[in-house]
Amino acid sequence: MSSEFLLIRAKDELVCGLGECGGSVTSILQYLLDNDIVDNVLTIKKEGSVYDAVPVLISNSEELNSTAGSLHCAPTMVADLIPKFINDTKLAVVCKPCDAMGINELEKRNQIDKNNLYKIGLNCGGTLMPKQAKEMFELFYEVNPDDVIKEEIDKGQIIIELKDGTEKGVKIDDLEEKGWGRRENCQRCEIMIPRNTDIVCGNWGAEKGWTFVEMVTGKGKDLVNNGIKEGYIESKTVSQKQIEIREKLEGIMINLMKKFGEKHLIIEYPSLEKWDEYWNRCIECYGCRDICPICWCNECEIEKNYMKNSIELPPDPLTFQGIRLGHMSFSCINCGQCEDVCPMEIPISRIYKKMQRKYNEKTEYIAGFSDELPPLFSSTNE
Amino acid sequence: MLIKHSICPSCSVGCGINLINKNGKIVGTYPYKNHPINEGKNCLRGKNIYKIVDENRILIPLKKEQNKLVESNWEDVINLVSNEFKSYSPEEIGILISGTNTNEENELISKFAKGQKITNVGVYADNFPKFNKEIGNYDDLNDAKSILLIGDIIKENPLIGRRIIIAKENGAKIFSVDDVNQTTTSINSTKHFKTFSITKFLEEFPQEIKDELGKSSLIVFNKIDLKEDFDKIVKIAEDSNSKILPVLKDCNSFDAINKVPPLNKEEIAKIINSVKLLLLINIDIFSFFDESEVNIHIPKYLISITHSLNESSSVSNIVLPSYCWAEKSGTFTNTAGEVQSFDRVIKAPENALEEIQILKMIEKKLKA
């Protein structure tokens, strides 16, 4: 099914003003909850500042307003929360690309029921770690990070809005050249528009105050059309030029990301000696496995006593990361959560993403997107 | 599903942790990336700490009858407790606590003891004494030029360990000392010193380390052999102009040792053996006693305020079920001296009471 495009925004003026670009996502979620099409909405909610957010499950559409707006400085992952804690409900989930990719991999592993799920995708230019974001705003924007009340990524810039209403933007390129900017995983992520969802919303190509929505599935088209019919959103047609602008922006981003992929995974990839040093640090907290949205097994071998070598230090990377690599690296979605939570600063996601990249070159399997499970033992290139 | 911020009570570092509440039960943890101490990273113990809420949970007040703990009610047990308190002189009564009580609880415990003129009071703090010295903070670690680690800090306090790793990446020299040959800390050190006695090591402090300690150096230690070792470390730090960072035992040891006397095993044993009535507040004395090491005799009357049935509470005459950290709001002071507040995440069981309330009930009854 080919995608269809529209410009949409909330009909409710209040909602329209709350959101990033016209409150469309909030309105669509309201429509789904009010009409009992879903029981719950899974999204993220700001906790006190732009640097903090937690996933939240909402069943009352009035509470949705508190979730409006973008939160690039609070890198979350919601995919694995669904099978673990929310598998008993009809759900709409708001997902940035890595959330959507995680969900896709879990669907293929029968951990999430596609039919119970509406996936509302968001364009994503990347996220930042809160601490780095604060230091960066101080250093490059020369502002008190506590004064930042809003932020967005637009036209190659990270733009912040301050308490007093002023806006400041700095080019992402300039920040990242100096070692700041987005999380490393986001820098090399090649998916900005998650077309593995029912609809994808974003501001690329849209005029101010409107959302450019790409309706990917039939379910997505029905959703938007019914939202319009029921008076939650209004729409107008998208011009060819707007579609082209969006495609161009996406293309530029992808090319930039590819360069980062080369940098992180080839040019600056750690040497074997450096990896030995990294493994020395491992305290076997299983943080990387526990946070990994792909690692869903209810029982995991790597924790078994026969896999542990408790007397010998350091832990053998083969009986830990080696096994994980064999189990899931082909499906690694490059979300970077493993690296985010590693207490020992091991750049663990690089090894997984590198492996997936190799696997992708051989099999053309795109983790988080393909409808079929990874072709484990065959290569389409052969 | 509701995800809420909390402070990890599993050690004294004071990491942030998000708790996942589903239907009134904590079912897991979620990274708290905006927390300045750990930025969403937690150790294995931290990630599993929520399990203590339900572990061996005591749901109703218990009293010993015919050598067995049987279910009772609050009125009955508070009466029994106050009668026992009244039948002994203050010298015959002792109160022992752990470093896991909140600042507010420590305050009240100390007041309660003073009010009852009970002097046999203390918190178990390994060999750490009360101190009044300036200590380093966590951010100092990241930029340190050299660090001396006493104990397996990287494995046992990983979110301090992380900062040591960052310092090392920044070029810091890391020295470690321990009474074992190989630890996670030792294999990540620039040089490891194996010693039979930390006291001896400090007395014969290697020139090699002395030469490297300076203004941007820290001595981080989570174990010492004797209370006197603390002063030896302070002396080394003062001589070299470097900072100390003692890593205490529990999530709120820092506050506890400032409100009640810190005790080591021998001192704890002395109190246990000298009193007739002993009140334990969130402490399992058998969790750190190797009975072959110290000969202890359980006092005539033992009262436990705790949320979980442990070896101490199971031999108590009275067990008063209290709240677990996730069920109350309060503050902890971490080992760097930072006060952090946390909010209630879930409701406590119906028949449990908050420690503060329990103590106040006893106090009131004693006045009556």
Side-chain angles (χ1 to χ4, degrees):
Chain A
M1 183 175 299
S2 66
S3 283
E4 284 176 18
F5 310 104
L6 272 179
L7 291 183
I8 56 170
R9 70 175 178 195
K11 248 195 157 170
D12 184 307
E13 270 178 39
L14 176 76
V15 179
C16 188
L18 277 175
E20 208 56 45
C21 32
S24 309
V25 174
T26 306
S27 301
I28 286 170
L29 297 172
Q30 273 176 349
Y31 161 72
L32 283 167
L33 279 177
D34 288 349
N35 293 281
D36 293 328
I37 300 164
V38 299
D39 304 317
N40 288 288
V41 164
L42 175 62
T43 182
I44 62 169
K45 190 182 106 198
K46 203 199 270 187
E47 286 280 287
S49 77
V50 295
Y51 311 103
D52 198 1
V54 290
V56 61
L57 199 62
I58 289 176
S59 56
N60 179 350
S61 75
E62 281 165 23
E63 288 168 34
L64 283 171
N65 288 353
S66 67
T67 67
S70 65
L71 288 161
H72 292 94
C73 304
T76 50
M77 164 53 65
V78 301
D80 56 324
L81 293 173
I82 302 171
K84 280 180 191 155
F85 308 116
I86 330 168
N87 50 3
D88 44 2
T89 170
K90 278 185 293 173
L91 189 71
V93 55
V94 181
C95 33
K96 56 188 181 322
C98 52
D99 294 315
M101 290 191 276
I103 291 168
N104 167 282
E105 288 295 323
L106 288 167
E107 281 172 350
K108 289 184 287 198
R109 286 164 174 77
N110 301 312
Q111 297 305 301
I112 293 178
D113 183 359
K114 239 186 193 159
N115 302 315
N116 269 341
L117 198 64
Y118 275 91
K119 285 173 278 186
I120 316 296
L122 302 175
N123 288 0
C124 179
T127 56
L128 298 92
M129 286 301 268
K131 187 166 180 255
Q132 277 73 0
K134 285 180 222 174
E135 288 173 2
M136 193 177 86
F137 294 152
E138 224 169 343
L139 213 61
F140 293 89
Y141 294 68
E142 294 174 339
V143 300
N144 178 350
D146 296 336
D147 291 341
V148 178
I149 52 159
K150 249 182 166 180
E151 46 68 35
E152 59 170 332
I153 296 183
D154 195 21
K155 298 189 180 67
Q157 289 195 324
I158 297 174
I159 303 161
I160 55 170
E161 189 188 320
L162 303 174
K163 268 180 195 164
D164 62 9
T166 52
E167 276 192 7
K168 279 191 178 182
V170 177
K171 271 191 183 161
I172 298 179
D173 284 357
D174 293 347
L175 295 166
E176 288 176 358
E177 225 167 68
K178 298 186 180 92
W180 295 82
R182 299 162 301 164
R183 292 159 72 241
E184 218 183 82
N185 294 79
C186 300
Q187 291 178 355
R188 63 172 176 259
C189 172
E190 290 174 24
I191 314 291
M192 263 62 63
I193 301 178
R195 295 186 179 86
N196 48 356
T197 54
D198 295 305
I199 61 170
V200 200
C201 301
N203 60 354
W204 297 351
E207 51 215 78
K208 204 164 171 55
W210 290 82
T211 300
F212 189 116
V213 59
E214 176 169 349
M215 294 161 280
V216 186
T217 62
K219 200 169 155 184
K221 277 171 207 168
D222 290 345
L223 172 60
V224 173
N225 288 328
N226 292 333
I228 296 167
K229 217 186 288 166
E230 297 292 327
Y232 283 83
I233 45 178
E234 53 187 345
S235 69
K236 47 183 194 176
T237 51
V238 172
S239 69
Q240 191 55 38
K241 199 180 161 208
Q242 284 169 320
I243 296 174
E244 279 164 16
I245 291 172
R246 182 171 177 260
E247 271 172 10
K248 200 179 156 196
L249 279 170
E250 189 187 14
I252 293 169
M253 289 291 264
I254 290 174
N255 278 332
L256 177 71
M257 307 300 205
K258 280 195 170 138
K259 277 184 204 151
F260 275 114
E262 287 292 308
K263 185 182 167 207
H264 298 156
L265 306 175
I266 310 284
I267 302 162
E268 290 176 9
Y269 191 73
S271 66
L272 280 176
E273 293 75 36
K274 193 68 194 171
W275 277 114
D276 279 340
E277 200 187 310
Y278 289 141
W279 303 135
N280 265 2
R281 303 174 184 174
C282 177
I283 51 168
E284 292 174 284
C285 71
Y286 306 106
C288 48
R289 176 203 62 186
D290 293 346
I291 201 75
C292 177
I294 313 301
C295 265
W296 66 273
C297 293
N298 295 320
E299 211 182 330
C300 179
E301 290 293 304
I302 63 173
E303 239 172 314
K304 291 277 157 63
N305 275 336
Y306 51 79
M307 286 295 182
K308 280 189 189 164
N309 208 342
S310 55
I311 311 155
E312 289 278 317
L313 280 170
D316 185 351
L318 273 183
T319 58
F320 186 165
Q321 301 303 344
I323 289 174
R324 275 196 73 222
L325 269 170
H327 267 192
M328 54 61 62
S329 64
F330 37 82
S331 288
C332 173
I333 56 166
N334 185 49
C335 68
Q337 293 296 326
C338 52
E339 202 165 310
D340 283 358
V341 302
C342 177
M344 289 297 128
E345 300 287 324
I346 302 171
I348 188 78
S349 74
R350 284 204 189 185
I351 202 167
Y352 287 88
K353 177 59 187 164
K354 191 181 170 88
M355 204 67 154
Q356 206 292 322
R357 221 167 100 120
K358 281 191 175 170
Y359 188 79
N360 166 269
E361 280 162 15
K362 286 272 181 206
T363 65
E364 289 170 16
Y365 178 76
I366 306 171
F369 268 84
S370 310
D371 281 334
E372 286 84 35
L373 271 164
L376 268 178
F377 306 112
S378 66
S379 154
T380 51
N381 287 353
E382 277 168 9
Chain B
M1 185 198 70
L2 195 62
I3 299 181
K4 278 195 170 175
H5 292 339
S6 189
I7 299 297
C8 178
S10 74
C11 82
S12 62
V13 177
C15 295
I17 193 160
N18 282 328
L19 301 175
I20 306 174
N21 170 353
K22 189 180 179 184
N23 303 329
K25 291 258 175 231
I26 300 176
V27 291
T29 59
Y30 192 84
Y32 182 175
K33 293 184 181 175
N34 191 37
H35 198 276
I37 291 175
N38 59 312
E39 296 163 57
K41 300 161 187 281
N42 294 97
C43 68
L44 184 61
R45 229 172 357 137
K47 283 189 296 143
N48 285 322
I49 195 68
Y50 72 93
K51 292 178 184 162
I52 64 167
V53 176
D54 290 324
E55 234 164 46
N56 305 317
R57 191 66 198 246
I58 306 166
L59 298 167
I60 198 148
L62 304 170
K63 64 176 178 185
K64 200 185 259 178
E65 264 177 15
Q66 287 157 355
N67 232 4
K68 257 178 75 187
L69 281 172
V70 295
E71 292 188 0
S72 180
N73 58 66
W74 278 104
E75 204 192 329
D76 188 21
V77 289
I78 294 293
N79 273 332
L80 287 168
V81 167
S82 73
N83 287 342
E84 287 298 326
F85 262 85
K86 283 175 181 167
S87 66
Y88 295 106
S89 67
E91 302 78 55
E92 292 173 316
I93 302 173
I95 301 174
L96 295 176
I97 68 170
S98 69
T100 63
N101 300 296
T102 64
N103 289 345
E104 296 73 23
E105 287 158 0
N106 289 337
E107 185 74 45
L108 187 68
I109 292 165
S110 154
K111 239 177 81 188
F112 176 84
K114 276 181 195 141
Q116 301 302 319
K117 300 190 172 58
I118 300 165
T119 52
N120 291 312
V121 184
V123 52
Y124 178 55
D126 281 331
N127 290 312
F128 285 84
K130 184 176 175 172
F131 57 91
N132 187 19
K133 295 277 172 231
E134 200 194 325
I135 52 170
N137 64 41
Y138 299 152
D139 287 340
D140 288 338
L141 280 170
N142 297 28
D143 307 318
K145 294 250 169 14
S146 58
I147 302 171
L148 169 63
L149 303 167
I150 306 172
D152 193 1
I153 301 278
I154 294 181
K155 180 85 182 176
E156 287 159 14
N157 308 100
L159 274 305
I160 287 183
R162 170 187 174 230
R163 290 168 185 268
I164 292 156
I165 295 289
I166 293 172
K168 199 186 171 196
E169 290 260 321
N170 290 338
K173 281 201 174 150
I174 314 292
F175 299 102
S176 61
V177 55
D178 214 323
D179 52 15
V180 279
N181 263 331
Q182 206 192 36
T183 64
T184 305
T185 303
S186 81
I187 61 169
N188 286 287
S189 301
T190 320
K191 189 165 179 180
H192 179 66
F193 295 82
K194 197 220 157 188
T195 181
F196 291 103
S197 141
I198 290 167
T199 311
K200 204 154 173 257
F201 174 83
L202 295 169
E203 280 165 358
E204 297 162 6
F205 197 65
Q207 188 64 37
E208 191 184 349
I209 306 177
K210 226 181 255 176
D211 289 345
E212 294 289 343
L213 291 180
K215 204 166 160 265
S216 32
S217 304
L218 281 106
I219 305 174
V220 188
F221 52 109
N222 68 7
K223 75 173 179 192
I224 43 179
D225 290 342
L226 303 166
K227 281 198 173 183
E228 293 72 40
D229 291 348
F230 195 95
D231 288 335
K232 293 193 178 85
I233 294 170
V234 169
K235 177 84 175 44
I236 292 167
E238 280 171 356
D239 288 349
S240 58
N241 218 354
S242 47
K243 291 178 182 161
I244 58 161
L245 181 59
V247 185
L248 304 175
K249 189 176 182 296
D250 294 324
C251 56
N252 204 23
S253 293
F254 192 97
D255 179 71
I257 66 171
N258 281 298
K259 294 210 175 105
V260 299
L263 307 176
N264 63 18
K265 274 190 216 169
E266 289 72 26
E267 291 162 325
I268 293 262
K270 221 172 129 193
I271 288 187
I272 295 174
N273 290 338
S274 67
V275 299
K276 291 187 174 144
L277 184 154
L278 182 62
L279 173 62
L280 304 174
I281 305 175
N282 290 323
I283 182 171
D284 178 9
I285 46 178
F286 296 107
S287 67
F288 48 85
F289 268 125
D290 180 353
E291 277 176 82
S292 63
E293 220 177 319
V294 196
N295 198 7
I296 55 167
H297 313 283
I298 298 166
K300 212 170 147 196
Y301 208 82
L302 196 60
I303 303 160
S304 277
I305 298 179
T306 175
H307 56 79
S308 69
L309 203 63
N310 51 44
E311 223 182 308
S312 298
S313 49
S314 58
V315 298
S316 293
N317 299 74
I318 299 282
V319 183
L320 306 172
S322 61
Y323 284 12
C324 193
W325 113 99
E327 294 155 355
K328 55 192 174 194
S329 300
T331 53
F332 287 147
T333 307
N334 72 11
T335 206
E338 292 171 64
V339 180
Q340 302 193 92
S341 64
F342 57 93
D343 284 330
R344 191 182 84 168
V345 174
I346 48 160
K347 263 193 182 166
E350 201 185 340
N351 278 313
L353 285 176
E354 204 167 343
E355 286 84 337
I356 287 186
Q357 208 183 337
I358 298 173
L359 279 178
K360 282 187 175 163
M361 279 163 66
I362 299 173
E363 213 170 22
K364 200 175 156 197
K365 199 84 198 168
L366 287 174
K367 272 184 195 158

